[in-house]
């Protein structure tokens, strides 16, 4: 018998899909609040049993090198790789996008990712913390208005392979949002500026898969 550490942060609806938020490090609480507000049941994922209990997963922003080490130390990296390969819908923001990339351009010290997205990513592509910025981003799958996107030491998608497709790019053409089947990745943090359309779009994928 597995006891789930199901924490509801906000208005949780027992009928909603069960969405995990990888809670090893980073801004997982903000994502949990947004998803709970949209009707999902939230599981904060830190253990292998929790990986088996979810219909979808959000990987938050934070520090991908630390998330990589902790996910291996906590034994959730391989179970997550397996579930991603089986089609688990996953939305990764910033460090979470890095964790979903098949190829990391500047991996150091043996940094690993979970993979799944057929993309090449470069970390810290927009400079340091104090070079953070916000921009209005056209995201055609989300319609109008543009998404206000916060970039905080974010990665860039340097190339998009044939299995993935770009969802948004900056004015200079650099790709900052992608999807591939049930997987979504954004270089930026929609969870902190009050626009929840990326989370709604992701929940649509989760619901479609369990319907
Ligand atoms: N805001 C973020 O998630 C920053 C990502 C971080 N620079 C990393 O490489 O993991």
């Amino acid at each position: 018998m597995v006891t789930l550490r199901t924490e509801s942060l906000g208005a949780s609806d027992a009928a909603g899909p069960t969405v995990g938020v990888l809670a090893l490090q980073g801004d997982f609480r903000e994502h949990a609040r947004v998803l709970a507000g949209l009707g999902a049941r939230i599981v904060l994922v830190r253990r292998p049993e929790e990986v088996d209990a979810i219909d979808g997963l959000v990987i938050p922003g934070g520090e991908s090198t630390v998330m990589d080490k902790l996910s291996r130390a906590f034994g959730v990296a391989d179970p997550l790789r397996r579930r991603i390969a089986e089609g688990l819908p996953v939305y990764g923001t910033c460090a979470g996008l890095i964790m979903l990339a098949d190829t990391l351009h500047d991996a150091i010290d043996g940094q690993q990712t979970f993979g799944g997205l057929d993309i090449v990513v470069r970390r810290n592509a927009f400079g340091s913390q104090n070079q953070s910025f916000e921009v209005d981003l056209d995201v055609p799958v989300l319609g109008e208005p543009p998404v206000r996107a916060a970039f905080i030491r974010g990665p860039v998608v340097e190339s998009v392979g044939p299995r993935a497709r770009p969802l948004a790019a900056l004015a200079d053409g650099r790709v900052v949002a992608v999807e591939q089947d049930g997987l979504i990745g954004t270089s930026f943090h929609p969870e902190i500026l009050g626009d929840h359309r990326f989370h709604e779009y992701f929940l649509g994928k989760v619901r479609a898969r369990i319907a």
Side-chain angles (χ1 to χ4, degrees), residues 60-65 93-96 98 111 123-124 152-155 187 189:
E63 178 50 53
S64 59
T65 52
T93 60
C94 207
I98 296 169
Q111 181 179 355
R123 296 177 55 226
N124 302 334
I152 306 166
R153 285 191 309 121
S187 302
H189 291 267

Side-chain angles (χ1 to χ4, degrees), residues 106-178:
D106 50 357
I108 43 158
D109 294 336
Q111 181 179 355
Q112 298 175 13
T113 67
F114 304 138
L117 280 174
D118 183 15
I119 56 172
V120 179
V121 156
R122 179 185 293 277
R123 296 177 55 226
N124 302 334
F126 301 101
S128 60
Q129 188 93 8
N130 57 17
Q131 291 169 294
S132 299
F133 63 98
E134 291 180 19
V135 70
D136 287 325
L137 208 56
D138 279 322
V139 185
V141 294
L142 300 182
E144 291 293 330
V147 172
R148 187 82 183 154
F151 287 78
I152 306 166
R153 285 191 309 121
V156 72
V157 179
E158 287 204 326
S159 69
V160 181
R163 285 176 293 129
R165 67 166 185 144
L167 291 180
L170 294 172
D172 63 10
R174 284 186 290 177
V175 173
V176 291
V178 291

